Protein backbone atom coordinates (compact mmCIF):
# COMPACT_ATOMS: atom_id res chain seq x y z
CA UNK A 1 0.00 0.00 0.00
CA UNK A 2 1.38 3.36 -0.83
CA UNK A 3 1.36 6.59 1.01
CA UNK A 4 2.92 8.42 3.86
CA UNK A 5 2.39 5.64 6.27
CA UNK A 6 2.25 5.60 9.97
CA UNK A 7 2.86 2.04 10.90
CA UNK A 8 2.12 0.44 14.20
CA UNK A 9 3.18 -2.89 15.54
CA UNK A 10 0.96 -4.49 18.13
CA UNK A 11 1.34 -7.49 20.31
CA UNK A 12 -1.34 -9.20 22.40
CA UNK A 13 -0.87 -8.70 26.11
CA UNK A 14 -2.07 -11.13 28.74
CA UNK A 15 -3.55 -9.04 31.54
CA UNK A 16 -6.44 -9.40 34.00
CA UNK A 17 -8.28 -11.87 31.84
CA UNK A 18 -8.53 -9.43 28.94
CA UNK A 19 -7.93 -10.73 25.46
CA UNK A 20 -5.18 -8.71 23.90
CA UNK A 21 -5.42 -7.70 20.27
CA UNK A 22 -3.12 -5.72 18.06
CA UNK A 23 -4.43 -3.23 15.63
CA UNK A 24 -2.93 -0.63 13.37
CA UNK A 25 -3.68 3.04 13.23
CA UNK A 26 -3.21 6.08 11.11
CA UNK A 27 -0.62 4.47 8.91
CA UNK A 28 0.58 1.00 8.41
CA UNK A 29 0.44 -0.51 11.84
CA UNK A 30 1.20 -3.84 13.32
CA UNK A 31 -1.13 -5.37 15.80
CA UNK A 32 -1.31 -8.55 17.70
CA UNK A 33 -4.53 -10.48 18.18
CA UNK A 34 -5.29 -13.75 19.86
CA UNK A 35 -4.36 -16.64 17.63
CA UNK A 36 -7.15 -18.53 15.93
CA UNK A 37 -7.27 -21.30 13.46
CA UNK A 38 -7.39 -19.47 10.18
CA UNK A 39 -9.77 -20.82 7.61
CA UNK A 40 -10.08 -19.72 4.07
CA UNK A 41 -13.74 -19.29 3.11
CA UNK A 42 -15.40 -16.75 0.88
CA UNK A 43 -16.89 -13.44 2.02
CA UNK A 44 -15.36 -10.96 1.36
CA UNK A 45 -17.62 16.89 5.96
CA UNK A 46 -17.60 19.34 6.42
CA UNK A 47 -16.57 21.91 8.95
CA UNK A 48 -16.50 25.62 8.20
CA UNK A 49 -12.76 25.27 7.92
CA UNK A 50 -13.22 22.59 5.25
CA UNK A 51 -15.54 24.85 3.29
CA UNK A 52 -13.12 27.75 3.41
CA UNK A 53 -10.37 25.41 2.23
CA UNK A 54 -12.50 24.29 -0.71
CA UNK A 55 -13.25 27.87 -1.76
CA UNK A 56 -9.60 28.82 -1.55
CA UNK A 57 -8.73 25.89 -3.80
CA UNK A 58 -11.24 26.81 -6.49
CA UNK A 59 -9.94 28.11 -9.80
CA UNK A 60 -13.24 29.91 -10.41
CA UNK A 61 -14.28 33.36 -9.18
CA UNK A 62 -17.07 32.63 -6.68
CA UNK A 63 -18.48 36.15 -6.98
CA UNK A 64 -19.67 35.74 -10.56
CA UNK A 65 -22.63 37.75 -11.91
CA UNK A 66 -25.95 37.14 -10.13
CA UNK A 67 -27.80 36.87 -13.43
CA UNK A 68 -26.30 33.44 -14.10
CA UNK A 69 -28.93 30.69 -14.35
CA UNK A 70 -26.60 27.76 -13.63
CA UNK A 71 -28.50 24.95 -11.87
CA UNK A 72 -25.76 23.80 -9.47
CA UNK A 73 -28.11 21.38 -7.70
CA UNK A 74 -28.72 19.61 -11.01
CA UNK A 75 -24.96 19.40 -11.60
CA UNK A 76 -24.51 17.76 -8.19
CA UNK A 77 -26.94 15.02 -9.24
CA UNK A 78 -25.22 14.78 -12.61
CA UNK A 79 -21.83 14.10 -10.96
CA UNK A 80 -23.36 11.39 -8.76
CA UNK A 81 -24.42 9.62 -11.97
CA UNK A 82 -21.44 10.48 -14.19
CA UNK A 83 -18.30 10.16 -12.05
CA UNK A 84 -18.69 6.42 -11.28
CA UNK A 85 -18.00 5.93 -15.02
CA UNK A 86 -14.64 7.73 -14.79
CA UNK A 87 -12.60 4.59 -15.55
CA UNK A 88 -15.11 2.20 -17.10
CA UNK A 89 -15.91 1.63 -20.78
CA UNK A 90 -18.68 4.24 -20.81
CA UNK A 91 -16.48 7.04 -19.52
CA UNK A 92 -17.55 10.51 -18.38
CA UNK A 93 -19.71 12.84 -20.48
CA UNK A 94 -17.20 15.23 -22.07
CA UNK A 95 -20.00 17.59 -23.15
CA UNK A 96 -20.34 18.64 -19.48
CA UNK A 97 -16.87 20.25 -19.62
CA UNK A 98 -15.55 23.39 -21.30
CA UNK A 99 -13.03 22.79 -24.07
CA UNK A 100 -10.51 24.82 -22.04
CA UNK A 101 -11.07 23.01 -18.73
CA UNK A 102 -8.17 23.35 -16.27
CA UNK A 103 -7.11 20.17 -14.51
CA UNK A 104 -4.55 20.10 -11.66
CA UNK A 105 -3.38 17.31 -9.37
CA UNK A 106 -0.15 16.88 -7.34
CA UNK A 107 1.87 15.80 -10.40
CA UNK A 108 -0.04 16.68 -13.60
CA UNK A 109 -1.46 19.77 -15.27
CA UNK A 110 -3.80 20.04 -18.28
CA UNK A 111 -5.68 23.01 -19.77
CA UNK A 112 -7.96 21.32 -22.32
CA UNK A 113 -10.62 18.64 -22.26
CA UNK A 114 -8.42 16.53 -24.57
CA UNK A 115 -5.55 16.62 -22.07
CA UNK A 116 -7.94 15.88 -19.23
CA UNK A 117 -9.34 12.81 -21.00
CA UNK A 118 -5.84 11.70 -22.02
CA UNK A 119 -4.81 11.74 -18.35
CA UNK A 120 -7.82 9.56 -17.48
CA UNK A 121 -6.92 7.14 -20.29
CA UNK A 122 -3.32 6.85 -19.08
CA UNK A 123 -4.43 6.13 -15.52
CA UNK A 124 -6.89 3.54 -16.82
CA UNK A 125 -4.19 1.79 -18.87
CA UNK A 126 -1.40 1.86 -16.27
CA UNK A 127 -3.33 1.44 -13.02
CA UNK A 128 -6.73 -0.15 -13.81
CA UNK A 129 -8.36 2.06 -11.12
CA UNK A 130 -11.40 1.00 -9.10
CA UNK A 131 -13.15 4.28 -8.28
CA UNK A 132 -15.65 4.74 -5.44
CA UNK A 133 -17.54 8.03 -5.09
CA UNK A 134 -18.45 8.83 -1.46
CA UNK A 135 -20.32 12.13 -1.79
CA UNK A 136 -20.87 15.26 -3.91
CA UNK A 137 -21.63 18.68 -2.35
CA UNK A 138 -21.96 22.29 -3.44
CA UNK A 139 -19.20 24.28 -1.70
CA UNK A 140 -19.55 27.66 -3.45
CA UNK A 141 -21.89 29.55 -5.81
CA UNK A 142 -20.07 28.02 -8.79
CA UNK A 143 -18.18 25.17 -7.15
CA UNK A 144 -18.84 21.51 -6.33
CA UNK A 145 -16.59 19.27 -4.22
CA UNK A 146 -16.51 15.48 -4.46
CA UNK A 147 -15.01 12.93 -2.05
CA UNK A 148 -13.73 9.60 -3.37
CA UNK A 149 -11.44 6.59 -2.89
CA UNK A 150 -9.43 4.82 -5.59
CA UNK A 151 -7.76 1.42 -5.63
CA UNK A 152 -5.02 1.34 -8.27
CA UNK A 153 -2.81 -1.52 -9.44
CA UNK A 154 0.48 -0.74 -11.22
CA UNK A 155 0.19 -3.13 -14.16
CA UNK A 156 3.71 -2.82 -15.73
CA UNK A 157 5.41 -4.47 -12.74
CA UNK A 158 5.20 -8.29 -12.53
CA UNK A 159 3.92 -8.25 -8.92
CA UNK A 160 1.40 -5.48 -9.70
CA UNK A 161 1.65 -3.46 -6.48
CA UNK A 162 -1.60 -1.85 -5.35
CA UNK A 163 -2.22 1.70 -4.17
CA UNK A 164 -5.27 2.73 -2.18
CA UNK A 165 -5.88 6.42 -1.56
CA UNK A 166 -8.60 8.91 -0.94
CA UNK A 167 -9.09 12.59 -1.75
CA UNK A 168 -11.35 15.39 -2.94
CA UNK A 169 -11.92 17.06 -6.29
CA UNK A 170 -13.00 20.71 -6.43
CA UNK A 171 -15.02 21.23 -9.64
CA UNK A 172 -15.31 24.82 -10.81
CA UNK A 173 -18.35 25.81 -12.91
CA UNK A 174 -18.33 28.38 -15.72
CA UNK A 175 -21.30 30.67 -14.86
CA UNK A 176 -21.73 31.56 -18.54
CA UNK A 177 -21.82 28.05 -20.02
CA UNK A 178 -22.98 26.02 -17.00
CA UNK A 179 -20.15 23.55 -17.73
CA UNK A 180 -17.19 22.50 -15.62
CA UNK A 181 -14.20 24.71 -16.33
CA UNK A 182 -11.75 23.46 -13.69
CA UNK A 183 -10.95 20.35 -11.71
CA UNK A 184 -8.53 20.66 -8.81
CA UNK A 185 -7.68 17.33 -7.21
CA UNK A 186 -6.40 17.05 -3.66
CA UNK A 187 -5.16 13.84 -2.02
CA UNK A 188 -5.35 13.35 1.72
CA UNK A 189 -2.28 12.42 3.73
CA UNK A 190 -4.42 10.86 6.43
CA UNK A 191 -7.63 9.28 5.10
CA UNK A 192 -10.75 10.81 6.60
CA UNK A 193 -12.37 7.40 6.87
CA UNK A 194 -13.92 5.36 9.63
CA UNK A 195 -11.44 3.35 11.69
CA UNK A 196 -11.79 0.92 14.64
CA UNK A 197 -12.48 2.68 17.93
CA UNK A 198 -10.02 2.44 20.78
CA UNK A 199 -9.07 4.00 24.11
CA UNK A 200 -5.43 4.68 25.01
CA UNK A 201 -4.69 3.07 28.38
CA UNK A 202 -0.98 3.83 28.58
CA UNK A 203 1.59 5.69 26.49
CA UNK A 204 5.34 5.05 26.76
CA UNK A 205 8.28 6.48 24.84
CA UNK A 206 8.13 3.53 22.40
CA UNK A 207 4.56 2.26 22.24
CA UNK A 208 0.93 2.67 23.31
CA UNK A 209 -1.38 0.24 25.08
CA UNK A 210 -4.94 0.46 23.79
CA UNK A 211 -8.32 -1.11 24.44
CA UNK A 212 -10.18 -1.73 21.17
CA UNK A 213 -13.92 -2.02 20.72
CA UNK A 214 -15.31 -4.94 18.67
CA UNK A 215 -15.40 -4.62 14.87
CA UNK A 216 -16.00 -6.81 11.83
CA UNK A 217 -13.53 -7.62 9.04
CA UNK A 218 -13.72 -9.25 5.65
CA UNK A 219 -10.59 -11.33 5.15
CA UNK A 220 -8.78 -13.88 3.04
CA UNK A 221 -5.40 -15.62 3.00
CA UNK A 222 -2.32 -13.47 2.46
CA UNK A 223 1.28 -14.28 1.64
CA UNK A 224 3.31 -12.07 3.97
CA UNK A 225 2.80 -9.24 6.46
CA UNK A 226 3.92 -6.52 4.06
CA UNK A 227 2.21 -8.09 1.05
CA UNK A 228 -1.00 -7.28 -0.81
CA UNK A 229 -1.98 -10.75 -1.99
CA UNK A 230 -5.75 -11.12 -1.59
CA UNK A 231 -6.41 -7.38 -1.41
CA UNK A 232 -8.38 -7.29 -4.67
CA UNK A 233 -10.71 -9.95 -3.28
CA UNK A 234 -11.49 -8.21 0.01
CA UNK A 235 -11.73 -4.82 -1.72
CA UNK A 236 -14.03 -6.35 -4.32
CA UNK A 237 -16.43 -7.39 -1.55
CA UNK A 238 -16.94 -3.78 -0.37
CA UNK A 239 -17.06 -2.49 -3.96
CA UNK A 240 -20.13 -4.63 -4.64
CA UNK A 241 -18.92 -8.15 -5.42
CA UNK A 242 -21.25 -9.73 -2.88
CA UNK A 243 -24.67 -11.44 -2.79
CA UNK A 244 -26.56 -8.10 -2.79
CA UNK A 245 -24.15 -6.22 -5.11
CA UNK A 246 -24.07 -3.74 -2.20
CA UNK A 247 -21.35 -1.10 -2.09
CA UNK A 248 -20.01 -0.73 1.43
CA UNK A 249 -18.22 2.47 2.54
CA UNK A 250 -14.43 2.35 2.58
CA UNK A 251 -12.73 2.31 5.98
CA UNK A 252 -9.16 2.33 7.19
CA UNK A 253 -6.71 0.70 7.82
CA UNK A 254 -5.98 -2.44 5.78
CA UNK A 255 -4.71 -5.16 8.12
CA UNK A 256 -2.37 -8.06 7.51
CA UNK A 257 -2.30 -10.42 10.48
CA UNK A 258 0.11 -13.20 11.40
CA UNK A 259 -1.07 -16.06 13.61
CA UNK A 260 2.25 -17.76 14.40
CA UNK A 261 5.64 -16.89 15.87
CA UNK A 262 7.34 -17.11 12.48
CA UNK A 263 4.84 -14.54 11.08
CA UNK A 264 4.21 -16.75 8.06
CA UNK A 265 0.55 -17.76 8.48
CA UNK A 266 -1.08 -14.53 7.29
CA UNK A 267 -4.50 -13.07 6.45
CA UNK A 268 -5.35 -9.74 4.80
CA UNK A 269 -8.37 -7.84 6.14
CA UNK A 270 -10.52 -4.78 5.53
CA UNK A 271 -12.49 -3.37 8.46
CA UNK A 272 -16.23 -2.95 7.84
CA UNK A 273 -18.28 0.07 9.06
CA UNK A 274 -19.37 0.13 12.71
CA UNK A 275 -23.06 0.35 11.77
CA UNK A 276 -22.86 -3.09 10.14
CA UNK A 277 -23.44 -6.38 11.94
CA UNK A 278 -23.05 -9.96 10.84
CA UNK A 279 -26.77 -10.36 10.16
CA UNK A 280 -27.02 -7.27 7.92
CA UNK A 281 -23.93 -7.87 5.81
CA UNK A 282 -24.31 -9.49 2.37
CA UNK A 283 -22.74 -12.89 1.80
CA UNK A 284 -19.50 -12.94 -0.14
CA UNK A 285 -19.46 -14.27 -3.69
CA UNK A 286 -16.09 -15.95 -3.22
CA UNK A 287 -15.43 -18.95 -1.00
CA UNK A 288 -11.91 -17.65 -0.37
CA UNK A 289 -13.31 -14.80 1.75
CA UNK A 290 -14.57 -14.80 5.29
CA UNK A 291 -16.58 -12.41 7.46
CA UNK A 292 -15.38 -12.37 11.06
CA UNK A 293 -16.17 -10.39 14.20
CA UNK A 294 -13.09 -9.28 16.12
CA UNK A 295 -14.11 -9.08 19.76
CA UNK A 296 -11.69 -6.30 20.63
CA UNK A 297 -9.38 -6.28 23.62
CA UNK A 298 -5.96 -5.00 24.66
CA UNK A 299 -3.21 -4.29 22.13
CA UNK A 300 0.26 -2.80 22.31
CA UNK A 301 0.94 -0.55 19.32
CA UNK A 302 4.19 0.66 17.79
CA UNK A 303 3.94 3.42 15.17
CA UNK A 304 6.44 3.88 12.37
CA UNK A 305 6.60 5.71 9.04
CA UNK A 306 7.92 4.93 5.58
CA UNK A 307 7.53 2.01 3.23
CA UNK A 308 6.69 -1.15 5.22
CA UNK A 309 8.99 -3.72 3.61
CA UNK A 310 9.01 -7.21 5.09
CA UNK A 311 12.40 -6.64 6.74
CA UNK A 312 11.24 -3.38 8.34
CA UNK A 313 7.98 -4.93 9.53
CA UNK A 314 9.83 -7.83 11.16
CA UNK A 315 12.34 -5.43 12.72
CA UNK A 316 9.52 -3.32 14.23
CA UNK A 317 7.75 -6.44 15.49
CA UNK A 318 10.89 -7.52 17.34
CA UNK A 319 11.36 -4.03 18.73
CA UNK A 320 7.83 -4.01 20.13
CA UNK A 321 8.17 -7.52 21.55
CA UNK A 322 11.41 -6.61 23.29
CA UNK A 323 9.88 -3.47 24.80
CA UNK A 324 6.90 -5.39 26.18
CA UNK A 325 9.05 -8.11 27.74
CA UNK A 326 11.33 -5.46 29.26
CA UNK A 327 8.31 -3.75 30.83
CA UNK A 328 7.01 -6.98 32.36
CA UNK A 329 4.14 -7.55 29.86
CA UNK A 330 3.39 -10.91 28.24
CA UNK A 331 2.69 -10.62 24.51
CA UNK A 332 0.64 -13.33 22.86
CA UNK A 333 1.48 -15.18 19.67
CA UNK A 334 1.04 -13.33 16.40
CA UNK A 335 0.92 -9.71 15.33
CA UNK A 336 -0.90 -7.38 12.98
CA UNK A 337 0.29 -4.72 10.54
CA UNK A 338 -2.19 -1.89 9.89
CA UNK A 339 -1.58 0.31 6.86
CA UNK A 340 -3.05 3.76 6.32
CA UNK A 341 -2.47 5.58 3.08
CA UNK A 342 -1.03 9.02 2.61
CA UNK A 343 -1.57 9.51 -1.12
CA UNK A 344 0.48 12.71 -1.11
CA UNK A 345 3.53 10.49 -0.82
CA UNK A 346 2.43 7.48 -2.87
CA UNK A 347 3.60 8.29 -6.34
CA UNK A 348 6.56 5.92 -6.07
CA UNK A 349 5.23 2.96 -8.02
CA UNK A 350 6.95 0.36 -5.88
CA UNK A 351 5.24 1.45 -2.65
CA UNK A 352 3.27 -1.53 -1.30
Amino acid sequence: MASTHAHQNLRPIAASGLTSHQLSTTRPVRLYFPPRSFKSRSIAVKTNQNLKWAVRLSLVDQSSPPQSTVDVEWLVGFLYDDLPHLFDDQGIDRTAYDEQVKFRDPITKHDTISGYLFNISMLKMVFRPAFQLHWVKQTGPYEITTRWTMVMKFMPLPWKPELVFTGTSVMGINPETGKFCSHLLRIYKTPDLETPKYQILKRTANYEVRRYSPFIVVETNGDKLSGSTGFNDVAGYIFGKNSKTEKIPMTTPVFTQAYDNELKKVSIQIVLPQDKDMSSLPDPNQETLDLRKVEGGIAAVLKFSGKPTEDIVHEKEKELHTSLIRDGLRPKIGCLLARYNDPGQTWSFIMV
Side-chain angles (χ1 to χ4, degrees):
M1 305 299 298
S3 130
T4 289
H5 313 253
H7 311 251
Q8 298 175 345
N9 294 338
L10 303 177
R11 274 191 165 272
I13 302 171
S16 344
L18 290 172
T19 302
S20 79
H21 299 256
Q22 293 187 322
L23 295 176
S24 46
T25 60
T26 316
R27 297 170 177 173
V29 178
R30 293 186 121 223
L31 310 168
Y32 290 84
F33 286 80
R36 75 177 178 89
S37 104
F38 178 71
K39 67 171 183 156
S40 160
R41 177 182 96 65
S42 156
I43 62 166
V45 170
K46 275 187 180 196
T47 64
N48 290 334
Q49 183 178 4
N50 293 131
L51 292 174
K52 290 176 183 176
W53 167 82
V55 172
R56 285 199 306 271
L57 278 184
S58 178
L59 299 177
V60 176
D61 180 3
Q62 294 300 307
S63 60
S64 298
Q67 65 268 25
S68 174
T69 58
V70 175
D71 188 344
V72 180
E73 185 177 348
W74 183 89
L75 288 173
V76 168
F78 168 81
L79 288 176
Y80 267 118
D81 293 334
D82 194 59
L83 284 181
H85 298 294
L86 193 62
F87 298 108
D88 66 15
D89 293 337
Q90 176 178 319
I92 59 172
D93 183 354
R94 66 174 291 162
T95 64
Y97 297 79
D98 280 345
E99 286 298 320
Q100 301 303 312
V101 62
K102 296 181 184 297
F103 174 79
R104 303 288 187 271
D105 70 18
I107 61 171
T108 59
K109 172 182 176 181
H110 298 286
D111 293 314
T112 65
I113 184 61
S114 297
Y116 181 49
L117 295 176
F118 174 77
N119 185 63
I120 293 173
S121 297
M122 286 297 294
L123 289 174
K124 183 177 178 180
M125 179 176 65
V126 177
F127 291 103
R128 305 279 176 84
F131 179 83
Q132 182 180 21
L133 181 64
H134 298 303
W135 51 254
V136 183
K137 298 179 181 179
Q138 181 176 356
T139 50
Y142 302 103
E143 176 184 278
I144 295 173
T145 299
T146 70
R147 180 78 160 79
W148 44 264
T149 295
M150 277 197 293
V151 180
M152 306 172 77
K153 180 187 292 186
F154 188 55
M155 303 305 294
L157 293 180
W159 60 95
K160 297 178 176 56
E162 291 158 338
L163 316 175
V164 180
F165 55 89
T166 185
T168 59
S169 293
V170 181
M171 315 285 289
I173 304 164
N174 185 333
E176 297 180 0
T177 65
K179 296 183 179 184
F180 297 109
C181 58
S182 67
H183 181 170
L184 187 58
L185 182 148
R186 168 130 180 179
I187 300 172
Y188 285 103
K189 292 186 177 180
T190 301
D192 182 20
L193 300 175
E194 183 179 322
T195 192
K197 299 184 185 303
Y198 64 86
Q199 176 186 9
I200 297 176
L201 303 178
K202 179 181 179 181
R203 182 180 286 118
T204 74
N206 302 317
Y207 63 89
E208 291 178 352
V209 177
R210 302 173 181 173
R211 176 183 287 117
Y212 276 86
S213 300
F215 58 92
I216 298 173
V217 297
V218 56
E219 66 181 347
T220 190
N221 286 319
D223 56 349
K224 56 185 180 180
L225 273 172
S226 66
S228 58
T229 296
F231 177 78
N232 279 349
D233 293 334
V234 291
Y237 174 82
I238 67 171
F239 284 137
K241 293 182 179 179
N242 52 60
S243 61
K244 299 179 181 177
T245 63
E246 176 185 347
K247 292 186 178 180
I248 299 171
M250 176 72 76
T251 63
T252 192
V254 172
F255 288 127
T256 41
Q257 181 173 359
Y259 298 96
D260 61 339
N261 284 327
E262 290 74 33
L263 310 184
K264 293 181 179 179
K265 192 175 183 180
V266 175
S267 72
I268 187 165
Q269 309 161 0
I270 287 181
V271 179
L272 300 177
Q274 291 285 329
D275 62 353
K276 299 290 185 181
D277 57 44
M278 296 294 282
S279 62
S280 67
L281 285 165
D283 294 328
N285 290 342
Q286 293 179 251
E287 293 184 357
T288 55
L289 297 180
D290 191 30
L291 289 172
R292 177 169 67 92
K293 183 175 181 180
V294 178
E295 294 300 336
I298 306 298
V301 181
L302 173 68
K303 299 180 183 179
F304 62 100
S305 300
K307 186 171 72 172
T309 64
E310 196 72 0
D311 287 344
I312 290 175
V313 170
H314 281 256
E315 175 188 336
K316 296 299 180 181
E317 185 276 331
K318 290 178 182 177
E319 180 182 334
L320 177 59
H321 184 274
T322 299
S323 295
L324 296 177
I325 296 297
R326 179 198 63 210
D327 294 344
L329 300 174
R330 290 179 296 144
K332 293 186 177 180
I333 295 174
C335 81
L336 194 109
L337 170 67
R339 290 176 280 188
Y340 298 72
N341 294 296
D342 175 359
Q345 304 294 327
T346 59
W347 297 106
S348 170
F349 294 137
I350 59 172
M351 274 281 205
V352 296

